[in-house]
């Protein structure tokens, strides 16, 4: 794993390299930033940079992320097969972890939960993990250099683990570097936050996402530009846009159908539309309502004829060319409030046919407001 595999983040990369170059590398640091900004790939690339002694064997081990002086810590769950007194540790799921990160280091907690087979559990870092780290890091470096501990999502440590890790950070073993990868630093103990050097990782530049989509995914320039804008600095979001294209097309079709039938006041057809929506299932209904809210915002902004303000696919923009004028200053807030109310009702298990038919009927009135 090298810095070349990290998307963007050149400023953060340079800062990390400069700390090594100027011999002022802290023994504990914390990379903080929003989801999808590439904190974990950046942390792992830096760990490999520290452990690379130039030998072919070291390079081969680092390429597979199986270097003996590279230690990963991550949230885990307790499986039914584990004993009552067993405190789950990262090594219990080492196979699943390496299988997941071999596919790429831009990962989500949902993906990790699926890999462990515990989607309905709460993943934490247990006190057993800190005991394991003490044992591992007390050993002499196998390659005679650094020992690096990469801790993914340290905010998920339980209090016992956090206190033990604090002691380890206060009295670190020789040539040990802790690199924490954190999304919610406020959930960490203040005593830990005060003892690590924080490095803020910004959202990825739009141009870097666009370039990566073209180079890594073979996306055309125009599609890559649109996806990069929709991603808003989040590579995971960019990947989502590629994967959920078919669902988005369906959502757009249902949105267009609603607006056309409401404008034409076709009550009987709107009832059929609401029955179609009711058949989707609660989670998909909520996703569509989120899509409805986004399209309301985008169509309203389209009226200002400023490309920098709009984040739509080509198909969405094609529809907006004729429809956007119906979303204006007079109705944009009521339309948004209508969708928020429907989202609340669906979340409270209200009758979906009634919720969506009511939304459809109210759209007849709101589209006429100017």
């Amino acid at each position: 794993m090298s810095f070349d595999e990290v998307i963007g983040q050149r400023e953060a990369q340079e800062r990390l390299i400069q700390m090594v170059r100027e011999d002022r590398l802290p023994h504990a640091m914390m990379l903080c930033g929003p989801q999808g900004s590439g904190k974990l790939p950046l942390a792992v690339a830096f760990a490999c940079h520290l452990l690379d002694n130039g030998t072919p064997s070291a390079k081969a081990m680092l390429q597979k992320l199986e270097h003996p002086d590279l230690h990963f810590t991550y949230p885990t769950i307790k499986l039914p097969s584990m004993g009552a007194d067993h405190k789950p540790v990262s090594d219990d799921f080492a196979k699943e972890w390496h299988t997941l990160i071999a596919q790429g280091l831009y990962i989500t907690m949902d993906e990790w939960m699926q890999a462990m087979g515990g989607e309905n559990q709460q993943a934490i870092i247990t006190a057993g993990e800190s005991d394991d780290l003490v044992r591992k890091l007390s050993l002499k470096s196998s390659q005679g250099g650094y020992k690096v501990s990469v801790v993914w999502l340290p905010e998920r440590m339980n209090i016992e683990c956090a206190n033990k890790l604090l002691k380890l950070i206060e009295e670190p073993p020789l040539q040990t570097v802790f690199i924490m990868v954190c999304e919610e630093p406020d959930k960490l103990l203040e005593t830990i936050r005060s003892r690590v050097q924080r490095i803020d990782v910004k959202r990825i530049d739009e141009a870097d996402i666009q370039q990566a989509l073209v180079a890594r995914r073979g996306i055309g320039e125009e599609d890559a530009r649109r996806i990069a804008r929709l991603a808003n600095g989040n590579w995971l979001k960019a990947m989502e846009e590629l994967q959920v294209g078919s669902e988005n097309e369906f959502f757009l079709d249902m949105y267009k159908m609603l607006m056309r039938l409401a404008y034409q006041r076709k009550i009987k057809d709107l009832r059929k539309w609401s029955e179609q929506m009711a058949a989707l299932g609660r989670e998909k209904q909520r996703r569509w309502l989120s899509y409805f809210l986004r399209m309301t915002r985008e169509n309203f902004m389209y009226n200002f004829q400023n490309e920098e303000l709009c984040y739509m696919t080509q198909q969405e923009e094609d529809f907006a060319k004729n429809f956007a004028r119906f979303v204006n200053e007079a109705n944009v807030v009521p339309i948004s409030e209508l969708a928020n109310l429907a989202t609340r009702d669906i979340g409270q298990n209200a009758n979906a046919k009634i919720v969506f038919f009511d939304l459809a009927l109210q759209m007849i009135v709101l589209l006429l407001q100017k």
Side-chain angles (χ1 to χ4, degrees), residues 341-361:
L341 180 62
T343 302
R344 187 203 67 185
D345 290 343
I346 291 297
Q348 294 177 350
N349 292 321
N351 186 305
K353 287 183 183 179
I354 295 174
V355 171
F356 284 105
F357 190 47
D358 181 65
L359 182 147
L361 292 177

Side-chain angles (χ1 to χ4, degrees), residues 171-183:
E171 301 173 11
L174 185 66
Q175 280 194 295
T176 296
V177 177
F178 292 93
I179 309 175
M180 299 184 185
V181 179
C182 190
E183 286 181 2

Side-chain angles (χ1 to χ4, degrees), residues 37-86:
S37 56
K39 302 179 297 298
L40 181 59
L42 185 62
V44 174
F46 185 51
C48 292
H49 178 76
L50 294 176
L51 294 170
D52 188 357
N53 60 13
T55 64
S57 61
K59 289 184 181 297
M61 290 186 291
L62 291 172
Q63 187 62 38
K64 295 180 180 179
L65 299 180
E66 294 177 351
H67 194 287
D69 295 323
L70 174 61
H71 306 285
F72 287 105
T73 291
Y74 33 81
T76 57
I77 58 172
K78 188 157 189 173
L79 297 175
S81 58
M82 295 175 176
D85 297 329
H86 180 71

Side-chain angles (χ1 to χ4, degrees), residues 229-230 255 290-304 306-312 324 327 332 335-336:
R229 284 181 55 71
L230 288 167
Y255 181 85
S290 294
Y291 180 84
F292 176 99
L293 275 167
R294 183 175 75 80
M295 286 299 288
T296 299
R297 182 259 180 202
E298 296 303 336
N299 277 274
F300 178 67
M301 299 308 293
Y302 187 85
N303 293 310
F304 294 95
N306 186 340
E307 186 180 310
E308 294 301 312
L309 298 175
C310 295
Y311 297 84
M312 288 189 281
V327 183
V332 64
I335 290 174
S336 298

Side-chain angles (χ1 to χ4, degrees), residues 69-106:
D69 295 323
L70 174 61
H71 306 285
F72 287 105
T73 291
Y74 33 81
T76 57
I77 58 172
K78 188 157 189 173
L79 297 175
S81 58
M82 295 175 176
D85 297 329
H86 180 71
K87 296 176 180 177
V89 295
S90 296
D91 281 354
D92 293 331
F93 297 92
K95 182 180 178 181
E96 291 83 356
W97 175 257
H98 281 282
T99 299
L100 181 62
I101 64 174
Q103 300 166 26
L105 282 158
Y106 291 84

Side-chain angles (χ1 to χ4, degrees), residues 87 99 119 129 187 218 283 350:
K87 296 176 180 177
T99 299
E119 292 92 331
E129 184 68 36
K187 291 185 177 180
E283 287 304 315

Side-chain angles (χ1 to χ4, degrees), residues 209-225:
I209 290 183
Q210 181 178 338
Q211 183 181 10
L213 285 168
V214 173
R216 301 182 183 203
R217 300 287 169 166
I219 308 299
E221 288 285 352
E222 180 56 25
D223 286 340
R225 184 185 69 81

